[in-house]
Amino acid sequence: MCLPAFAAQAQDYGYLTFRTANGTEQGIAAAGLKITFADGKMLATAGTETLNIALADLAAMYFAPERTGIDKVGAGDAAALDWHLDERSLHAAAADDDTMIRLYDASGKAVASGRGALSAKLAKGIYVMKAAGQTIKVLAR
């Protein structure tokens, strides 16, 4: 019996990216990566980086040669901005009515803004929302 031999070559993927149901993406280094699942959550740890995502919110994960997505939501208070995307309608509300919320398309062009709240119909594409010290990547499908 003769068995064929196949050559395989590993590609160099330095990062694992997680996409959540609302379209945000976060990347983490693949070197030394440890992923555990408990209590309906996924915990990914690599060195000093940690990502904690509810399994119900996890839409996809994939390896990439470069870090993709926004590394961290930002230095601001995560509770300071509440937002969601229904179909392609974005709704955002800041905890403080004086907080400016700005939305940019992938080219960096400002497409919407609001003080304290923002609602916008989006075309398909990638957007960046900035508010309350946070930077959030939004994917409208």
Side-chain angles (χ1 to χ4, degrees), residues 9 23 56 63 68 71 96 123 131 141:
Q9 181 173 344
F63 287 97
T68 56
D71 293 342
D96 180 357
R141 298 177 192 211

Side-chain angles (χ1 to χ4, degrees), residues 69-86:
I70 305 299
D71 293 342
K72 295 183 179 176
V73 172
D77 178 5
L81 183 66
D82 181 32
W83 70 279
H84 65 277
L85 186 64
D86 291 324

